[in-house]
Amino acid sequence: MSVIFMNYRSRDLVAPLWRSLAGGPLNTVLTLASVLMLALILPPLIHWAITDAVFSGTQEECRAASGACWAFLRAKARFILFAFYPGEHLWRPILVIVTLLGLMLASALPRLWGPALILAWPVTLALVWALMAGGTWTGGILARVSLNDWGGLPVTLLVWSTCMAFAFPAAVLLALARASDMGGLRLIAVTYIEVMRAIPMVAILYFAMLILPLALPQGVILDKLIRSTIMVALFWTAYLAEVVRGGLQTVGPGQAEAAQSLGLGYWRIMQLVVLPQALRQVIPGLVNLGIGFLLATSLLAVIGAFDLLNTARASTTDTQWLGFYDEAYAFAALIYFLLCYGGSRYSRWLETRLRRR
Amino acid sequence: MSNERLFGRTLRGLAAAAALAATALPATAGGTLDAIKERGVIKVGVGTTPGFFSPDSEGKWQGFFIDYGRALSIAVFNEDGKVEFTNSSPQQRLPALQAGEFDILLSGVTVTINRAFNLGFHFGPTVFYDGQGILARKELGVTSAAELDGAVIGVQSGTTGELNIADFFRKSGHEFTPVTIEDTSEFIAALESGRVDAITQDSSDLVGKLQQLKTPDDYVLLPERLSKEPLAPAIKAGDDQWLEIVNWTVYATIQAEEWGITSANVDEFLKSEDPAIQRFLGVDPSLAEAIGFRPDWAYKIIRTVGNYGEIYERHLTPLGWKRGYNDIWTNGGLLYSPPFR
């Protein structure tokens, strides 16, 4: 029984696989080239990552070996993931990571899309910021942890999710303003979007770092992490607004006119008729931008904030574990890859699901 | 340190504008100490260079400059650890200091006349004499930079180091081929793969690089220094009281080394008959009372972080640093403390 089953399955699988690997001269050449590449890359990679690697031990043992120093990651994973956050309170950033990933996962499921989810975002974000900060934010129950000590993965996720939570609704409003027939409003929206899109994100971060403090009243000091979060949120708004506008353009004017003839007001028309159709059209584009933004948070390093990539870099400067760049960056790359690959698989799944409707 | 990229230059323009705008605001003469005491913590800007300032596995800052932050905490609060270290990139650290984000930069800022006059910073005593050096492959057979001819040298693009090495070879009349490398972490790979014969950077960075090479014995740090990089604590201009606290905290570590007072033997020195040492350690409290310090402030600094030599040997000697210029004047170095009296 199982043999028959296997035969049936394998014939079903192998034939198309064989066709795509060796069907036609071009495919054959590409397959051979790929195999050759793998043969060149894989053995040294396996030697480096596994057979010659040091999995536990000291810096000296690592230097003596020719392979990767995974012992370095054992010692440094705590710093790369959580930076300076005090050891006895590590459960807080861990809980923040779990909560934020949970929130993202929940937002990924179309059947949960609704008012509850929209409310869940600001509430959850307020809670995780308070959990990270402690002190008066939690009524003094948790010890205060200075923003200065935050870093690593929770900061990457916090900045990303906070900026997205602000930028997305703001972008919808901005896109509506740009598509509206009120000239003044449209001009403001167009100016804002075009100016923001003409500035590189690094310049925005330097603005947050250098110029913004001068605009604040004397004595008021906002932490650079908060300043850059504000500026990045404003920056992303412009990009998201353009994607949303693209969606708005796919909804024909007849839709709004029909709704108007039913006696609906502007906001009801947008909420019930136009936006649901428009946003559905651009979900893949929004997810794509979201993934790009997650990677862009690594630019926070230029202002000295300790996002995940910067903690990985800083972990290589410890005199106890000097200069294990490959291992540190491989670790950071793996985390970014898991997050982004998850996002892109989700985007593809969502696209087919929405097309089926 | 001189890692200021060309990109950084446009930012320095921005920084100068920021500084100008800041000085246009009402000057806050003094007050740093009061602000620190009210806040309960000293805000210190630092960089990330092995040995000088780097986070350890537990997420605590360690390093030569970090210990000076701790010494300041003892001078101001009479206890260790009341310091908040914040990483600050070379491009944004001076504007951040100007904007009042830090009370002091212990991030290896090079003292220059432009920074003192035009940018509005004051500098404490030089705690580390650095300079651009050349790390060369031994098989070239050279013992000084003057003998380098036709060498391929890796330089970081857009840095003052790139200009310094060009000047140096123009003066010596020799040929060299620069290979510009954007990220200094690639220097090691370039040396090991034989793409370059030598690399040039601040020698503080080169010593760290030497440790990371697979076969450090095959390379030599040439004795010449192509530039002067005196690294000192930097504060915003206009607060003499704070500057003097910084000055004498540094001097205390230098003076203690001159007298041979270490964290291990400081208690024995409490019994010293020398009136100068009695004044220094607060056995005779008259000096401390006259200047408004606690009598045991220097004692506590030495007891907790040690003298200059101990700080140096704790963080820099393991990386292969010789004392060189950074030795007490009585040993032929440049470190000299004014008298405590």
Side-chain angles (χ1 to χ4, degrees), chain A residues 63 65-66 75-76 78-79 83-87 144 146 148-149 202 206-207 209-211 213-214 218 221-224 227 301-306 310 313-325 329, chain B residues 7 11 14-15 17-19 21-22 25-26 28 43 48-51 53-61 84-89 91-92 95-96 99-102 183 185 188 208-209 211-214 315 319:
Chain A
R63 296 223 183 280
S66 60
K76 286 290 168 188
R78 181 231 177 276
F79 180 78
F84 303 98
Y85 212 86
R144 196 183 84 88
S146 161
N148 195 44
D149 293 336
V202 173
Y206 275 109
F207 182 86
M209 193 66 222
L210 305 177
I211 312 294
L214 299 173
Q218 190 85 353
I221 292 184
L222 272 183
D223 189 90
K224 65 182 172 189
R227 296 203 306 265
V302 301
I303 61 161
F306 277 104
N310 203 17
R313 187 195 59 79
S315 73
T316 64
T317 62
D318 183 357
T319 47
Q320 299 301 311
W321 294 96
L322 207 52
F324 292 99
Y325 299 102
Y329 286 131
Chain B
F7 176 56
L11 285 161
L14 210 64
L25 297 169
T28 46
K43 291 183 149 198
T48 41
T49 304
F53 13 59
S54 64
D56 67 11
S57 301
E58 305 305 312
K60 299 260 181 304
W61 285 98
E84 186 177 273
F85 295 106
T86 304
N87 181 39
S88 196
S89 69
Q91 288 88 6
Q92 46 110 347
E101 206 156 305
F102 305 125
D183 185 351
S185 57
I188 294 170
K209 291 271 176 341
Q211 296 301 303
Q212 298 168 35
L213 287 159
K214 285 208 178 68
H315 299 293
L319 292 179

Side-chain angles (χ1 to χ4, degrees), chain B residues 140-198:
Chain B
L140 295 178
V142 295
T143 53
S144 100
E147 298 166 26
L148 280 174
D149 197 1
V152 180
I153 300 179
V155 297
Q156 195 185 5
S157 55
T159 60
T160 49
E162 196 179 359
L163 309 175
N164 290 337
I165 189 110
D167 285 353
F168 179 82
F169 276 92
R170 201 170 301 134
K171 262 192 289 185
S172 75
H174 289 311
E175 294 289 317
F176 86 111
T177 313
V179 173
T180 52
I181 295 172
E182 176 67 28
D183 185 351
T184 58
S185 57
E186 285 171 30
F187 272 179
I188 294 170
L191 261 186
E192 284 181 340
S193 67
R195 210 169 115 218
V196 298
D197 300 320

Side-chain angles (χ1 to χ4, degrees), chain B residues 64-141:
Chain B
F64 177 85
F65 278 103
I66 301 302
D67 279 357
Y68 276 100
R70 295 172 57 201
L72 275 173
S73 165
I74 295 162
V76 172
F77 292 109
N78 201 26
E79 61 178 294
D80 192 6
K82 295 208 149 194
V83 199
E84 186 177 273
F85 295 106
T86 304
N87 181 39
S88 196
S89 69
Q91 288 88 6
Q92 46 110 347
R93 58 189 182 177
L94 292 174
L97 177 65
Q98 189 60 263
E101 206 156 305
F102 305 125
D103 301 313
I104 183 168
L105 279 180
L106 291 172
S107 61
V109 186
T110 303
V111 185
T112 68
I113 189 169
N114 190 39
R115 284 174 175 161
F117 277 90
N118 292 342
L119 295 178
F121 299 109
H122 278 169
F123 292 96
T126 298
V127 287
F128 192 87
Y129 291 91
D130 202 357
Q132 188 181 342
I134 300 175
L135 182 67
R137 202 187 297 284
K138 261 187 192 157
E139 64 190 31
L140 295 178

